[in-house]
Amino acid sequence: MPPEDIQRRCITPSVLYPGTPVVLMTTLNDDGSANISPLSSFWALGDRVVLGIGEQGQGCSNLLARGECVLNFADATQATQVEAIARATARTPVPDSKRDMGYVHVRDKFALGGFSRVESVLVAPPAIAECPLQVEVALLASHRPSGTEDQGFMIVEGRICRVHAHEAITIAGTQHIDVQRWAPLIYLFRHYVGTTTPVARNFRADDPAPAAA
Ligand SMILES: Cc1cc2nc3c(=O)[nH]c(=O)nc-3n(C[C@H](O)[C@H](O)[C@H](O)COP(=O)(O)O)c2cc1C
């Protein structure tokens, strides 16, 4: 379509979630049990990750108190399990604002979502065994959003300490993720979507190029 024919308009969306991965953040509660907090406000560059985490959630308190988490990336088959824990918070009592949104206190989200714990190597919180990509993270810094108004969330910077990948999504004998087989679960304007086969390759992609047909 010629650019002059493209129609556009100004909108005010209630959220701006254009499509980011569903991350299940595991942290340790005060009593040493493990919690799972679904997140989608995530990006990574180099050995750093940045998260946006609501201060009323238990995961935020746990991360700030103990300085460690594991970011477990759900795959496209796990949407039902993620949604099963979506209304649950490990915080008790449940803050009024969360209760009004329908949240309830659940102590064991592993049981609720049908997930299993697997030990981490460099951090205390366990990873989620069923998530194909698990990233151990150490907290480096956190601050409230800049500006005047308290928006109720923290911007958190962490250092990637260790990455675990299921063999099934790696290219054997290399450090690469097989993008033909890794299908992350994407959070898209509060809907869950999977991804299809890759449509193109960036000029800096360094995994082995598929053989020409
Ligand atoms: C798919 C999905 C994505 C979410 N993304 C975020 C997010 O990026 N940041 C956030 O603070 N909460 C996010 N939430 C809401 C938290 O999961 C929710 O606050 C929950 O209470 C956290 O659990 P906790 O209180 O036990 O830590 C998301 C929820 C779902 C289901």
Side-chain angles (χ1 to χ4, degrees):
M1 182 188 290
E4 59 273 20
D5 290 348
I6 298 172
Q7 302 293 320
R8 65 175 191 173
R9 64 189 176 92
C10 292
I11 62 169
T12 50
S14 59
V15 292
L16 192 57
Y17 301 161
T20 45
V22 174
V23 181
L24 301 176
M25 179 179 75
T26 43
T27 54
L28 290 186
N29 297 313
D30 292 341
D31 65 1
S33 61
N35 186 33
I36 305 176
S37 309
L39 302 177
S40 58
S41 304
F42 158 88
W43 58 261
L45 192 63
D47 71 347
R48 298 300 158 89
V49 294
V50 177
L51 307 170
I53 312 183
E55 289 186 75
Q56 295 210 316
Q58 188 61 40
C60 186
S61 308
N62 291 348
L63 180 56
L64 297 185
R66 281 169 278 286
E68 294 181 336
C69 68
V70 183
L71 303 178
N72 304 273
F73 290 79
D75 75 20
T77 69
Q78 293 171 325
T80 307
Q81 286 174 276
V82 173
E83 189 56 19
I85 63 169
R87 282 172 185 270
T89 176
R91 170 134 302 176
T92 179
V94 179
D96 289 344
S97 60
K98 282 183 104 62
R99 191 181 303 277
D100 290 348
M101 284 187 272
Y103 282 90
V104 293
H105 169 69
V106 174
R107 191 168 176 279
D108 186 355
K109 291 195 221 171
F110 281 85
L112 184 65
F115 294 113
S116 317
R117 297 162 181 77
V118 61
E119 273 190 26
S120 297
V121 176
L122 296 173
V123 301
I128 299 175
E130 293 83 2
C131 288
L133 196 54
Q134 309 153 6
V135 180
E136 299 182 20
V137 169
L139 175 70
L140 290 174
S142 63
H143 65 85
R144 296 205 166 88
S146 308
T148 51
E149 190 190 339
D150 179 9
Q151 301 201 44
F153 67 87
M154 302 293 287
I155 298 170
V156 173
E157 178 186 352
R159 181 172 56 82
I160 296 170
C161 304
R162 187 62 64 101
V163 179
H164 307 268
H166 286 189
E167 286 276 2
I169 65 157
T170 64
I171 300 175
T174 77
Q175 300 300 312
H176 297 294
I177 296 293
D178 184 341
V179 300
Q180 304 287 339
R181 288 187 289 163
W182 168 227
L185 181 63
I186 301 295
Y187 201 43
L188 180 70
F189 290 100
R190 292 206 168 108
H191 294 258
Y192 300 99
V193 299
T195 47
T196 57
T197 47
V199 292
R201 193 181 162 87
N202 175 253
F203 76 103
R204 294 190 63 198
D206 59 358
D207 55 322

